[in-house]
Each structure stands twice: as C-alpha cells, then as structure tokens.
Amino acid sequence: MELKGALCYVLDFDDIYNYAHQTAAKIKESDFQPEVIVGIARGGWIHARIQCDLLGVKELFSVKIDHWGVTATKDGKAKLTCPLTGDVTGKKVLVVDDITDTGESLTMAVEHVKECGPAEVRSATLMHIAGSKFVPDFYGVEVTWAWEIFPWNFYEDLTALIKKIFEGEKVNELSTMEVKKHLREYNNVVLSDEQLSKIKAHMGYLEVIQYPLDKAWKLKE
Ligand code: ADP
C-alpha cells in the first residue's frame, strides 16, 4: 500500500546498541585507535558517548551543526553554530554522528576538526543511507532512505509527523484512534496506546494541541 507520507522506522535502544557494537567492531578491526571522540550535536551525542564506552575513550568533545530551513525549503544549508569544544592538537580523532543522509553535517564537521591540528581524523555513524554524498569511514548498517526515528528524538519526530497529519487531513481535531490509524497510513508507524498517550501529553505541554488535554487531540488555534 502506498504511504501518504514519508516511510518511518521507530528504533529502540536495543537497535542502537546493536548498530553501535557493529560500528565499534569495525573500528577495532581497523588500524585506527581514536584518542578523542567528537559528537555532532544534537544527533550524534548519544552515539558518541556510547562509542567512548565501547572503545575505551575518555576525551569527548562536541561541535554543533544546524540546518537552516531544512523542513520548509530544499536549500537548507548546514551551518557550524558551535565550534569544537576541546583541544585535539596531535590527537587521533573520531567524529561521530547518528546517520549520514545528505552528508553535509559530517563533511562540515570533519573539515572543521581537520583545521584544528589533529594527527588524524576519521568518522563513524550508526547508519549510512546508500547513495549519501559522504561515506563515513565506519558505520554499523547501510540502509535505503527512510526517516529513522531515533529514541532520543521520538517525541520531537512524532509531534512533527502528527502535525503533518492534521495538515494533510485538513482538520483541527482527531481522536486517538484516528491518530493511530493515520500514523500507519502516512508513515507505516504502529504505536501502543501508552506511547500515544505520552505523545499527546508532550504535545499538550508544548501547546501544539490544547491544554488541559481533552479526550480528542485538538490543535491549538
Ligand atoms: P549527515 O551529515 O550525517 O549526512 P545530514 O546533514 O543529512 O547528516 O542530516 C543532519 C542530521 O539530521 C543527522 O545527523 C540526523 O540527526 C538527522 N537526519 C537526517 N536524515 C535523517 C534520516 N533519514 N532519519 C533520521 N534522522 C535524519
């Protein structure tokens, strides 16, 4: 059945650790032993911290890359909004992100770190989308394009998807049953009642839907 929206996969922390172990195994088999890990904020932070543990690395720094207008326009350019937070002079550095899609953030982060005087720079992601312009040196799995809903972005992504459903259906009010049905039809996402009730509370907290919560999900005017 053709989806009305983007194909999405919901990942849990078992999936994340599975991919992180696959990535770490490839790094350990290689000739590269990082001394410093740089996590790209925000998406790469949790993976970066896990790689510190799996590879025995004590130095963890950050860079922040933002995409401007990425959801609204096609020319959402990547921008370095916070430079490298620590000294990597003479060090072997692993730059870590969650996924390579356009590859723009990783290209930019690696270039920036290379300008900071390291001995060597390599890159690692949990997932690599086939055809991405940037191929990380190490990644857990290669996948075809889908929107991967990482556990650290669950409420943000689901809020965005449900907002799109309201737009697509041209309504201001939906029942929980309808939200559940539309998520399946739009995005192939199947959620439990408990997950839906937590998302609803989150959307109320952010005032995307009316708060105090009603039985229905009512868009805030
Ligand atoms: P990269 O430089 O790693 O390819 P992009 O510049 O394409 O990343 O995207 C920036 C960030 O947006 C990613 O690190 C990730 O957090 C998020 N992102 C991009 N594409 C996807 C996707 N298909 N699924 C989930 N998250 C994504």
Side-chain angles (χ1 to χ4, degrees):
M1 192 186 75
E2 176 130 7
L3 292 175
K4 293 183 184 171
L7 173 65
C8 295
Y9 290 114
V10 178
L11 303 175
D12 62 20
F13 274 106
D14 284 342
D15 299 316
I16 299 309
Y17 268 92
N18 183 11
Y19 301 152
H21 275 286
Q22 291 183 49
T23 311
K26 291 174 188 167
I27 297 169
K28 287 176 176 172
E29 280 164 15
S30 78
D31 58 355
F32 180 73
Q33 191 165 5
E35 299 163 290
V36 176
I37 287 180
V38 173
I40 305 178
R42 292 176 299 159
W45 271 23
I46 294 175
H47 182 212
R49 182 62 186 88
I50 294 171
Q51 288 304 340
C52 285
D53 189 30
L54 301 184
L55 300 171
V57 174
K58 298 245 159 59
E59 292 288 348
L60 174 59
F61 301 149
S62 174
V63 293
K64 188 163 198 294
I65 313 254
D66 277 310
H67 283 256
W68 299 109
V70 80
T71 44
T73 60
K74 281 214 170 97
D75 61 339
K77 274 261 163 282
K79 187 168 181 256
L80 182 82
T81 51
C82 178
L84 187 59
T85 56
D87 184 10
V88 295
T89 315
K91 296 280 167 63
K92 287 187 269 182
V93 184
L94 185 67
V95 179
V96 174
D97 208 349
D98 47 8
I99 188 165
T100 27
D101 191 335
T102 66
E104 273 189 38
S105 354
L106 256 174
T107 305
M108 187 164 276
V110 167
E111 272 172 22
H112 172 61
V113 174
K114 279 186 176 162
E115 287 163 4
C116 299
E120 210 177 330
V121 182
R122 305 270 181 104
S123 58
T125 60
L126 294 165
M127 309 180 86
H128 170 60
I129 294 185
S132 165
K133 270 185 267 167
F134 185 98
V135 183
D137 298 296
F138 311 100
Y139 53 85
V141 283
E142 183 176 283
V143 293
T144 54
W145 194 90
W147 187 263
E148 306 290 347
I149 303 177
F150 295 108
W152 47 83
N153 219 55
F154 182 78
Y155 293 99
E156 193 170 312
D157 281 343
L158 264 300
T159 299
L161 293 178
I162 293 167
K163 269 182 172 175
K164 284 220 174 96
I165 289 171
F166 275 106
E167 281 166 30
E169 296 301 304
K170 298 187 175 67
V171 292
N172 297 317
E173 193 177 318
L174 290 166
S175 70
T176 299
M177 282 294 286
E178 286 169 325
V179 172
K180 201 170 182 169
K181 172 174 149 281
H182 289 313
L183 278 170
R184 204 179 328 114
E185 291 174 357
Y186 275 69
N187 309 107
N188 200 36
V189 166
V190 178
L191 297 178
S192 68
D193 291 341
E194 192 189 336
Q195 283 172 314
L196 282 165
S197 109
K198 285 179 175 165
I199 295 160
K200 188 179 175 193
H202 176 77
M203 289 175 71
Y205 167 71
L206 291 185
E207 298 190 332
V208 174
I209 59 171
Q210 281 181 31
Y211 190 85
L213 297 175
D214 201 81
K215 199 162 180 350
W217 303 49
K218 284 186 186 158
L219 268 191
K220 180 128 181 165
E221 276 112 42

